[in-house]
Amino acid sequence: MYDVIIIGAGPAGLTAAIYCGRSKLRTKIIERSQPGGQINLTDVIENFPGVASANSKELIDTMVKQTKDLSDVEIDDFKMVRNIKYNGDIIEVSGKSVIDENDFSHSCKALIIATGAQPRKLGLKGEDGFIGKGVSYCAVCDGPLFKDKDIVLIGGGDTALEEALYLTKFARKVQLVHRRDKLRGSGILQERIKNNPKIELVLNSVATEILGKDVVEKIRIRDVKTNKEGEINCSGVFIFVGFAANTQFVESFLDFDSEKYIITNENMATGKKGIFACGDCRKRSFRQIVTACGEGAQAAHSAEQYLTEVNKRYD
Ligand code: NAP
């Protein structure tokens, strides 16, 4: 029996684990792949206070080491949670190893859900068929494959702008297709985009189809103001149009907003006693590493307070 199980080892889950471990709560983190969450998809982090510019891998490695150094915390990676049974005071978390398909099942008194979100697909004609053949949702993973090639990138938020800048390390040209006449991403990134000679903005435009024989060869776009259609020749299409919450496995018993983000109060408590949620799987307006970490700390603190109450009942 664990005091706390945390599902997800991104910044929110790891921070929650650090706080639980320092409170001497017996804690297990269950992660479906490797720790780090969405930080794994990016290269450099420049807005984490106290760390002017961090290599993503180094930042994750440090967070994981900080977590593993705590004697009361265990990390189980490559385990996929499929089911949660909630019987008032006891919560049972079960699933399968993604490596050998072996079943696992653990019980806890408090549960913290920190499963984050994953890149959204656009649903374009050709998108699914060309995944791994030119269509990508991860610049760090696939950028090096496009050395001296032309790339189209779709999206105008912080992720799109950061990844467009990163891709210029490899690509000959990056054409950034955005559906409005203004980018959404932060001013500092917009300035860098404007000053980068390898990036060309294609504004007021939406992609309609990805075309090619065996691999991506071009993308069809439509100007939303004139309705005029056109094509851009390219070897890669990188899509950064936001994220979708990883919350399917709790859909049946927690409260969600219309986009399937978990609703909590300001202490990260869901409507079910003993279950907390933090980070990008939770309904909130500002999704940053630093806000995910803050929520992780709050979720751990709320879980600890809850456990104090529960334990009093059994004393
Ligand atoms: P986002 O801010 O939601 O931006 C998504 C972008 O995709 C927007 O430009 C949006 O266009 C566009 N888009 C959405 N659906 C589309 C569609 N069907 N067709 C064409 N374009 C579409 O997502 P994000 O950039 O992934 O960022 C997610 C969160 O993480 C944000 O809160 C962001 O600030 C944060 N983040 C922060 C940093 C950082 O601080 N360095 C880095 C990465 C992410 P519109 O603009 O027209 O809506």
Side-chain angles (χ1 to χ4, degrees):
M1 169 73 76
Y2 291 89
D3 291 315
V4 183
I5 289 181
I6 299 166
I7 310 177
L14 289 172
T15 308
I18 290 167
Y19 276 76
C20 287
R22 289 172 62 83
S23 298
K24 304 303 287 175
L25 299 173
R26 197 168 168 239
T27 303
K28 182 186 271 299
I29 315 182
I30 304 174
E31 160 60 49
R32 71 173 171 183
S33 59
Q34 60 191 19
Q38 288 167 53
I39 306 185
N40 284 312
L41 305 180
T42 196
D43 178 37
V44 177
I45 288 145
E46 294 181 333
N47 52 4
F48 198 80
V51 191
S53 176
N55 170 284
S56 308
K57 189 171 175 335
E58 280 170 20
L59 189 67
I60 296 165
D61 288 349
T62 309
M63 284 187 193
V64 171
K65 181 174 182 321
Q66 229 175 331
T67 311
K68 283 187 171 164
D69 282 349
L70 293 159
S71 56
D72 293 281
V73 182
E74 295 165 12
I75 304 185
D76 273 9
D77 49 13
F78 297 99
K79 299 247 170 84
M80 180 83 171
V81 173
R82 301 245 169 118
N83 198 22
I84 291 176
K85 252 196 222 153
Y86 179 73
N87 304 321
D89 287 350
I90 307 294
I91 302 160
E92 198 183 297
V93 177
S94 59
K96 273 187 190 296
S97 157
V98 297
I99 294 171
D100 54 20
E101 291 271 301
N102 280 344
D103 293 330
F104 67 84
S105 175
H106 304 291
S107 298
C108 60
K109 297 179 198 163
L111 178 68
I112 297 177
I113 300 170
T115 43
Q118 59 189 329
R120 269 185 51 211
K121 289 185 178 178
L122 258 183
L124 290 179
K125 199 166 166 201
E127 183 175 346
D128 276 344
F130 285 117
I131 290 175
K133 297 173 185 167
V135 169
S136 173
Y137 306 85
C138 176
V140 170
C141 321
D142 299 326
L145 304 173
F146 294 89
K147 192 151 173 27
D148 298 325
K149 303 260 169 69
D150 291 346
I151 289 176
V152 165
L153 183 146
I154 303 167
D158 279 328
T159 308
L161 305 195
E162 276 188 349
E163 303 315 310
L165 290 162
Y166 175 74
L167 286 167
T168 60
K169 285 189 186 183
F170 314 100
R172 197 177 69 92
K173 183 164 70 173
V174 177
Q175 284 175 284
L176 191 152
V177 174
H178 179 46
R179 63 184 176 183
R180 290 187 294 132
D181 60 352
K182 280 194 187 67
L183 298 171
R184 176 183 290 278
S186 62
I188 190 164
L189 292 175
Q190 291 199 32
E191 202 172 278
R192 288 179 195 167
I193 292 277
K194 209 168 75 190
N195 293 332
N196 190 312
K198 282 190 172 183
I199 299 178
E200 192 182 300
L201 294 182
V202 183
L203 298 175
N204 295 312
S205 298
V206 290
T208 54
E209 188 175 354
I210 300 170
L211 302 134
K213 198 166 168 257
D214 300 319
V215 293
V216 169
E217 289 169 15
K218 53 189 170 184
I219 184 159
R220 187 165 287 147
I221 58 165
R222 179 171 52 81
D223 185 309
V224 292
K225 294 224 156 130
T226 62
N227 260 335
K228 208 172 141 205
E229 298 222 352
E231 287 179 353
I232 304 175
N233 291 330
C234 58
S235 306
V237 178
F238 284 75
I239 299 174
F240 300 109
V241 292
F243 287 83
N246 292 321
T247 53
Q248 301 82 345
F249 68 106
V250 282
E251 254 172 28
S252 60
F253 69 102
L254 292 182
D255 296 326
F256 292 92
D257 71 359
S258 57
E259 292 184 69
K260 304 280 184 212
Y261 287 95
I262 301 170
I263 295 174
T264 72
N265 66 13
E266 72 276 16
N267 295 325
M268 310 301 134
T270 70
K272 288 273 185 294
K273 277 202 173 115
I275 303 189
F276 305 85
C278 54
D280 280 8
C281 63
R282 173 184 169 263
K283 176 180 162 63
R284 62 195 179 123
S285 59
F286 198 39
R287 294 173 206 282
Q288 301 282 305
I289 299 171
V290 74
T291 54
C293 292
E295 291 180 13
Q298 177 64 62
H301 178 64
S302 298
E304 186 185 5
Q305 284 184 323
Y306 168 77
L307 289 170
T308 307
E309 285 305 307
V310 170
N311 291 337
K312 258 192 226 159
R313 272 190 258 146
Y314 292 101
D315 283 345

